[in-house]
Amino acid sequence: METLEQIKNRAELAARGAKIDIVVNPGPSQQSSLLIDPGHAIAVATLLRDHPALSFDFCSNVTGVDWLDRVVKKTAKVKQVVDGVEKEVDQTTEEKIPGYLEAVYHLYSIKLKHGPLIIRMRTANRAEGVRLPSLTPVWRSAELQEREIFDLYGIQFDGHPDLRRILMWDEFKDHPMRKDYVQPDDFEWEPTPHDEVLDRAKQHYPPRPQVDGAEQITSHSDVATPNK
Amino acid sequence: MSATVETIEAMERPPVTMSSRLDGELLEVSMGPQHPSTHGVFRMNVALEGEIVRKLKPVFGYLHRNHEQIGENTTYLGSMPYTDRLDYFCSMTNNWAYALSVEKLAGIEVPERAEYLRVILAELTRLQNHASLLGFLLSDMGAWGTPLMYAFREREKILDLFESLSGSRMMCDYMRFGGCRVDASDEWLAAAKQIVDRFPKFLDEFEALILQNEIVIARTQNVGKLSPELAISAGITGPMLRACGVNYDIRKVDRYGIYPRFKFRVPLGDHGDTYDRLMMRALEMRESVEILKQALPQIPAGPIVNPKVKVRAFRPPAGEAYGRIEAPKGELGFYLISDGGPNPYRYRVRPPSFINLTILEDLCLGHVVADVMVILGSIDIVMGEVDR
């Protein structure tokens, strides 16, 4: 397989104006990836598939990743004059990186038997209804997997033939794989609540009204009675 | 290698005619989720013109439990037993795919004996998966009982092996990062060898019973044809891809584990129809037996797990990795992103049978509704993996 640099140069030459960055993977797996700007994604993807030296005809895995807003702290030695003496002082700068959603594609070539080439696209932010171009017209295997990303991460894929929820039901709101997803508080009544289940039972089911004093016969501390 | 026996001319399917249409209206039928031939809780919305399928939309999610999010909320090792529940027929290969991905992520070496054990268990898994798939497929076709019981008899022997090794028939939880959990004794290896040696006899019997059966040929040949171009574009993997004549076996391409040491062939189909997919399983079982016959006597003594791997406080360095293996159903991959913490930041399963369902509608269009069951059966799905 050609190196990522070569593929990047080839793609930037073929698709005019395409901006491609190499995302370096610091881990031992040595699987670095290409970050493709969404505007030229279809052109670049078609080139990757059709170019005889690349022919990435098989898109194996398509998935989403959610990156929250984060703050990267960098420490740098800075020369500063303290009490008239020049000293080296550690200065931390904080860089705020706004969050984004990412779609990651793992490509292989069945013809030339090489791979993986990893390409990724990023949305501008994490708002509702963020958009990316769909690569289903290029690789059919993205069809169900992009639907899954739409369902679980909420990325709208422009040009997808049938973008509906796939694993969650159609009426479901929210996107459960996002990192800030909060589970619904769907507590069910239990006959013998205890510990934290008892606390939740008390929140969800108000104590029964005291009708004839029968509730006072036992005075278990665990029983949710109105007098407690 | 040709997978198709000679087509008997009289058995060629008559062209589907529209004589059975009901005043031109499409009838929409919901097949499943509670239907024995949908292999679990899978549903298809089918638009029928008479008996002919004009449109088919699969409906997923009845078994969805957000496996991936549960994986992100637990430690790396904590997900290992949960991968058993993906494709619950093939827990050994699920374990291996996950262990392989984590080993790529953290840069872990695996000792030789463990590699041998992994190959042996993965090929045994392939044997029992393919055998039971053939049984299920025939059951879907109406051959109730006998073929499935024949297949399950063999499957049970292999599951007994799994139980005596790992303590569980199906939820084995056997692999660990950098090796395996328990060692196989010499008695176990002898028992495995005996089962492997007797397996071809079952295959001979099974093939004589079904693969040249007139009804099986009539129901499967020229049904659900898949072209190699569409198969590659739609990401079809495993026996289903090779039934179209595409030579792509990850054991040969990625050369993961110690597969390059074994001599085996990759069966390929000619027509990409249901019969070729069925035949592919039968032929692959023979090759798996070949691999096992080579691996069982060669297995060296030695440690079964890399002692440098931490069990507690296992934190791979920041980075990402995608590891994949040739599972019985196709390419099973795990995509992991580590941020240096004890839990994966992103834990993604690439389920083969889910992606193989992409072209279900293309396969079924124009066929009668009874063929839908046969086509679906030949794709080999397990809902635990499809819905995750």
Side-chain angles (χ1 to χ4, degrees):
Chain A
M1 197 174 91
E2 294 184 343
T3 60
L4 284 183
E5 285 286 346
Q6 287 170 313
I7 297 173
K8 172 182 139 99
N9 292 339
R10 211 184 265 285
E12 279 179 340
L13 270 179
R16 292 218 166 257
K19 196 177 161 298
I20 299 175
D21 295 316
I22 293 176
V23 181
V24 178
N25 180 355
S29 72
Q30 299 183 331
Q31 294 177 345
S32 296
S33 48
L34 292 178
L35 178 67
I36 293 171
D37 71 313
H40 299 84
I42 296 270
V44 172
T46 314
L47 172 89
L48 294 178
R49 185 192 61 182
D50 294 340
H51 193 282
L54 306 172
S55 34
F56 287 101
D57 44 9
F58 169 44
C59 174
S60 164
N61 179 43
V62 184
T63 188
V65 188
D66 183 9
W67 298 98
L68 293 169
D69 302 347
R70 62 205 151 126
V71 178
V72 177
K73 281 186 186 170
K74 277 182 187 164
T75 324
K77 298 248 182 203
V78 181
K79 282 190 179 167
Q80 229 173 27
V81 183
V82 182
D83 301 334
V85 187
E86 202 177 48
K87 279 184 179 174
E88 280 206 337
V89 183
D90 286 348
Q91 195 178 45
T92 42
T93 47
E94 288 189 352
E95 192 193 356
K96 275 189 185 169
I97 300 175
Y100 48 82
L101 296 165
E102 207 171 39
V104 186
Y105 296 73
H106 286 79
L107 312 176
Y108 288 87
S109 169
I110 286 184
K111 203 166 149 199
L112 304 177
K113 302 221 174 8
H114 60 218
L117 174 71
I118 306 159
I119 59 173
R120 37 183 80 216
M121 295 188 285
R122 285 176 186 168
T123 62
N125 52 47
R126 298 180 66 257
E128 204 57 35
V130 281
R131 313 190 87 83
L132 284 179
S134 166
L135 297 186
T136 306
V138 185
W139 294 287
R140 178 83 191 277
S141 64
E143 185 182 334
L144 295 185
Q145 304 188 74
E146 281 181 352
R147 265 180 78 184
E148 191 183 314
I149 300 175
F150 164 72
D151 187 359
L152 303 180
Y153 284 95
I155 302 177
Q156 300 267 353
F157 284 97
D158 293 328
H160 191 283
D162 183 21
L163 198 64
R164 290 177 288 136
R165 283 196 179 271
I166 183 165
L167 293 172
M168 308 302 285
W169 55 100
D170 292 341
E171 296 81 10
F172 189 80
K173 301 266 188 331
D174 210 346
H175 305 289
M177 279 300 286
R178 288 205 181 183
K179 289 282 176 187
D180 52 1
Y181 173 72
V182 182
Q183 282 188 17
D185 186 23
D186 47 357
F187 179 78
E188 285 185 16
W189 182 83
E190 281 195 23
T192 53
H194 53 83
D195 300 337
E196 68 261 36
V197 185
L198 178 68
D199 294 337
R200 290 187 66 196
K202 281 178 180 168
Q203 288 167 19
H204 282 264
Y205 295 92
R208 283 180 295 162
Q210 203 172 356
V211 181
D212 49 11
E215 283 82 356
Q216 291 178 343
I217 293 171
T218 59
S219 57
H220 274 292
S221 58
D222 281 0
V223 180
T225 56
N227 292 344
K228 288 275 144 58
Chain B
M1 185 188 304
S2 168
T4 323
V5 302
E6 278 175 341
T7 314
I8 304 160
E9 257 177 53
M11 255 168 224
E12 290 223 45
R13 301 174 64 75
V16 179
T17 57
M18 294 219 230
S19 58
S20 51
R21 60 190 282 174
L22 291 165
D23 52 271
E25 295 261 322
L26 289 184
L27 179 69
E28 196 176 322
V29 181
S30 171
M31 294 171 77
Q34 309 294 340
H35 191 283
S37 63
T38 55
H39 298 251
V41 279
F42 179 60
R43 186 174 137 212
M44 289 165 282
N45 279 340
V46 194
L48 299 173
E49 185 178 355
E51 274 205 65
I52 301 155
V53 177
R54 289 289 173 223
K55 214 173 167 188
L56 185 146
K57 292 283 167 209
V59 182
F60 302 92
Y62 290 94
L63 209 59
H64 180 55
R65 63 257 186 216
N66 219 336
H67 181 103
E68 293 178 3
Q69 196 184 52
I70 295 169
E72 284 169 19
N73 290 334
T74 184
T75 58
Y76 284 89
L77 189 57
S79 290
M80 182 62 85
Y82 203 40
T83 59
D84 294 339
R85 277 84 177 162
L86 281 169
D87 171 3
Y88 40 78
F89 273 80
C90 314
S91 62
M92 290 291 188
T93 46
N94 296 347
N95 287 173
W96 192 2
Y98 181 51
L100 188 85
S101 307
V102 175
E103 282 153 13
K104 274 193 178 177
L105 185 69
I108 298 170
E109 298 279 317
V110 182
E112 205 177 354
R113 185 175 174 85
E115 291 277 26
Y116 269 91
L117 283 171
R118 285 178 175 191
V119 167
I120 291 168
L121 290 162
E123 295 307 321
L124 284 171
T125 303
R126 201 179 313 276
L127 286 182
Q128 58 98 0
N129 178 75
H130 284 0
S132 39
L133 182 268
L134 289 181
F136 284 135
L137 184 55
L138 284 148
S139 187
D140 290 345
M141 272 184 238
W144 262 101
T146 311
L148 186 60
M149 286 303 122
Y150 275 35
F152 265 44
R153 184 188 60 200
E154 295 307 310
R155 175 173 181 252
E156 209 59 36
K157 289 178 191 165
I158 292 171
L159 292 190
D160 283 347
L161 276 182
F162 288 174
E163 186 177 15
S164 67
L165 183 62
S166 72
S168 180
R169 291 166 69 243
M170 291 168 79
M171 304 294 128
C172 297
D173 181 22
Y174 181 67
M175 314 262 170
R176 288 290 178 264
F177 311 136
C180 301
R181 181 158 59 86
V182 283
D183 202 353
S185 65
D186 290 344
E187 292 79 41
W188 188 89
L189 290 169
K193 188 164 185 310
Q194 199 180 33
I195 287 170
V196 169
D197 286 341
R198 286 181 189 167
F199 206 83
K201 201 166 159 246
F202 156 74
L203 285 176
D204 293 340
E205 179 191 55
F206 209 57
E207 286 177 12
L209 179 71
I210 57 162
L211 291 178
Q212 317 218 347
N213 181 305
E214 286 178 22
I215 303 172
V216 171
I217 290 174
R219 289 283 319 262
T220 54
Q221 284 196 352
N222 288 325
V223 171
K225 272 198 166 186
L226 179 59
S227 69
E229 296 76 30
L230 179 62
I232 292 172
S233 164
I236 308 301
T237 45
M240 212 174 149
L241 176 69
R242 294 190 285 274
C244 312
V246 181
N247 187 355
Y248 196 74
D249 188 320
I250 298 168
R251 291 174 291 178
K252 294 273 192 196
V253 175
D254 277 13
R255 303 163 72 82
Y256 64 94
I258 49 162
Y259 274 114
R261 292 187 197 178
F262 304 116
K263 205 167 157 256
F264 64 100
R265 296 175 297 174
V266 179
L268 295 178
D270 283 339
H271 305 91
D273 59 1
T274 307
Y275 186 81
D276 276 13
R277 292 199 276 279
L278 198 149
M279 200 64 195
M280 224 30 58
R281 269 83 186 205
L283 294 173
E284 280 195 6
M285 279 196 275
R286 297 226 179 246
E287 298 306 318
S288 290
V289 169
E290 283 305 311
I291 296 175
L292 284 164
K293 277 184 179 166
Q294 295 167 54
L296 280 167
Q298 285 177 19
I299 183 165
I304 55 154
V305 72
N306 186 339
K308 285 180 193 156
V309 180
K310 280 186 189 171
V311 177
R312 285 165 196 237
F314 176 71
R315 288 160 194 257
E320 62 172 54
Y322 178 69
R324 58 177 196 161
I325 67 161
E326 180 76 32
K329 292 180 169 59
E331 174 188 329
L332 175 64
F334 282 82
Y335 174 56
L336 300 162
I337 299 182
S338 165
D339 57 356
N343 299 359
Y345 185 81
R346 178 77 180 103
Y347 167 90
R348 149 83 178 167
V349 188
R350 189 249 186 231
S353 49
F354 174 65
I355 294 159
N356 286 357
L357 281 173
T358 310
I359 38 79
L360 181 64
E361 183 178 21
D362 305 58
L363 294 185
C364 293
L365 289 186
H367 287 294
V368 293
V369 73
D371 287 340
V372 173
M373 296 289 111
V374 180
I375 292 168
L376 181 69
S378 73
I379 294 178
D380 193 5
I381 60 166
V382 161
M383 293 318 285
E385 182 180 79
V386 173
D387 286 343
R388 283 156 294 137

